[in-house]
Amino acid sequence: MRQLLGSQRRELLVKWIERTGSVSALEAATALGASVRTIQRDIEELSMQGRLTRVHGGAVGAGRRPAPASAQLRLGILVPTRGYCFDAVLAGAEQAAAVSGCTLVEADYDYTDDLAAARYARITSLELDGLLVTPHLPAASWGQLCRTDVPVVLIERPWELTWVRDLDPATSVAAARSPVDHVFTDHETGAVLGLDHLAALGHRTIHCLIRDTPTAPALLRTASAYGATIAPAREVTLGITRLQRSPDQRRVLTSALEQIFRSQEPTALFVHTDEDAVAAREFLEDHDVDVPGQVSILSYDDGLPSNPAGGLSAVAPDRVALGKRAVEMIIDRLCSRGHHTHDAHPPTKLAIVPRLHQRATTGGLRHTEEA
């Protein structure tokens, strides 16, 4: 993407808000090829000109005021420890909350049962109208969540009975019947999008390296199905390696790559996470392998704080949209109370499809032959 002038960038921001009603600084920075701080300065300038209203994490339309029905709502949001993934989710939630005028109470937790339970107990002790939560909770907290008397929207992680199989029977039944809305990334479609992209570029030997994260099961399941059904029809050989978590993740990745290139010689790698994709690129360059001339690398995440021109090609879950839609879903449910449609309003599952961003690390093969 060519570098935009400041005036061009600000006009695009105004048009974005006219079209969608709001914009996240993080989302705009990625789309416009600028830093978050640059977008924040653009928003400040446009706000001073009266062309938009600055809110935490982004901006909304000029002079926009909260809808009376939602302005008094108080929502809680509980997500895992903040990093680039959930910073984006929170930015989207804050943006939607600012547009509606509701109050958003934020909390996060580490991936330990004790802390997750403590933070959950704390946020649910507050007087809230609704709760947005990305679950990584012990059985006791799942039981509380099943029996909560406020609407709940799950963000990302699925509400499945297998997650609560260790609960008492009454709680398991409550889990099955709870009217819980759910907004999540369609990782299965994202995986197919990435593999189709590499196959369309002419790659016939592709290897997936999937780090063991909460996203991994969907990616592994889809890659396995793709390898058994779609890949043979396209004469593609698909390998899959699951990268176990380790204090020394680079060593695990390096060992896997050494083994893969000894036995398979792939011309494309589909890698989750971004950090592993960056390390894979460095590994290949250290071994004088041209990226993407000899081997293409496609990441599944696109969540690095900065991924400028020359950066990783990636399948990008829209995490800002996750946060926005979660807030919109719970407000919709809360504002339907007292109306005849409320009781008939079934739980909603909303899948958000990732996007493909082709940058500098994927391309068609450039065959070189000695005369």
Side-chain angles (χ1 to χ4, degrees):
M1 182 178 190
R2 66 183 179 84
Q3 193 70 30
L4 295 171
L5 298 175
S7 58
Q8 294 174 316
R9 199 173 51 245
R10 287 186 284 276
E11 287 303 316
L12 287 173
L13 285 173
V14 171
K15 290 179 180 177
W16 189 326
I17 289 176
E18 288 174 349
R19 186 176 70 254
T20 67
S22 62
V23 66
S24 155
L26 182 63
E27 189 177 21
T30 301
L32 301 180
S35 70
V36 172
R37 183 59 194 136
T38 296
I39 298 299
Q40 289 171 338
R41 286 195 292 267
D42 288 339
I43 289 173
E44 289 170 5
E45 183 171 335
L46 291 167
S47 178
M48 292 175 63
Q49 295 171 6
R51 302 184 68 189
L52 53 73
T53 299
R54 183 184 176 193
V55 298
H56 184 67
V60 297
R64 185 155 184 175
R65 292 291 179 266
S70 61
Q72 305 304 315
L73 296 178
R74 182 175 165 87
L75 308 177
I77 182 168
L78 178 65
V79 296
T81 301
R82 300 181 189 188
Y84 63 79
C85 292
F86 287 101
D87 280 349
V89 171
L90 286 168
E94 289 166 354
Q95 185 179 337
V99 170
S100 67
C102 67
T103 300
L104 194 64
V105 181
E106 300 176 4
D108 61 5
Y109 62 88
D110 200 354
Y111 286 96
T112 59
D113 283 357
D114 289 346
L115 186 55
R119 290 295 171 86
Y120 177 79
R122 168 62 180 154
I123 199 167
T124 53
S125 71
L126 305 175
E127 293 185 2
L128 300 172
D129 296 295
L131 180 63
L132 315 168
V133 58
T134 297
H136 184 86
L137 302 172
S141 295
W142 270 105
Q144 294 171 0
L145 186 61
C146 294
R147 293 186 291 268
T148 185
D149 59 356
V150 299
V152 173
V153 173
L154 298 184
I155 301 174
E156 278 293 36
R157 312 289 161 73
W159 178 269
E160 296 175 352
L161 285 181
T162 54
W163 286 42
V164 292
R165 61 181 178 272
D166 296 329
L167 300 181
D168 62 89
T171 302
S172 294
V173 171
R177 295 178 178 174
S178 293
V180 175
D181 295 319
H182 185 197
V183 57
F184 57 96
T185 300
D186 186 350
H187 293 301
E188 287 83 358
T189 297
V192 172
L193 186 66
L195 292 169
D196 277 351
H197 170 63
L198 295 173
L201 290 173
H203 296 284
R204 294 297 173 261
T205 308
I206 303 169
H207 202 98
C208 301
L209 294 112
I210 310 297
R211 174 69 59 189
D212 190 11
T213 71
T215 303
L219 299 182
L220 290 164
R221 182 170 60 247
T222 306
S224 179
Y226 192 101
T229 56
I230 300 174
R234 298 183 178 179
E235 299 182 342
V236 170
T237 299
L238 184 65
I240 303 171
T241 297
R242 184 168 190 161
L243 301 172
Q244 299 300 321
R245 293 191 183 193
S246 167
D248 189 353
Q249 295 196 1
R250 184 175 286 262
R251 180 187 60 78
V252 172
L253 176 68
T254 298
S255 176
L257 287 169
E258 289 172 345
Q259 183 175 349
I260 290 165
F261 280 91
R262 276 197 302 267
S263 61
Q264 191 183 28
E265 296 186 359
T267 63
L269 300 175
F270 190 25
V271 187
H272 171 69
T273 61
D274 285 341
E275 289 86 349
D276 289 309
V278 170
R281 184 180 189 179
E282 292 172 353
F283 172 89
L284 293 176
E285 290 174 345
D286 288 345
H287 288 76
D288 297 321
V289 176
D290 179 51
V291 177
Q294 293 172 280
V295 177
S296 285
I297 299 176
L298 180 66
S299 175
Y300 191 95
D301 251 356
D302 203 34
L304 291 176
S306 177
N307 196 356
L312 292 169
S313 296
V315 176
D318 192 341
R319 296 184 176 93
V320 171
L322 284 173
K324 283 170 124 178
R325 296 307 299 269
V327 170
E328 291 166 358
M329 287 170 73
I330 204 163
I331 288 174
D332 179 60
R333 184 169 287 280
L334 286 164
C335 291
S336 72
R337 283 184 167 176
H339 299 281
H340 71 278
T341 58
H342 176 72
D343 292 336
H345 185 14
T348 299
K349 288 191 175 185
L350 176 65
I352 297 181
V353 177
R355 300 174 183 173
L356 174 69
H357 298 303
Q358 184 171 7
R359 300 189 181 98
T361 60
T362 56
L365 290 175
R366 294 197 294 269
H367 297 287
T368 58
E369 298 181 0
E370 294 184 0

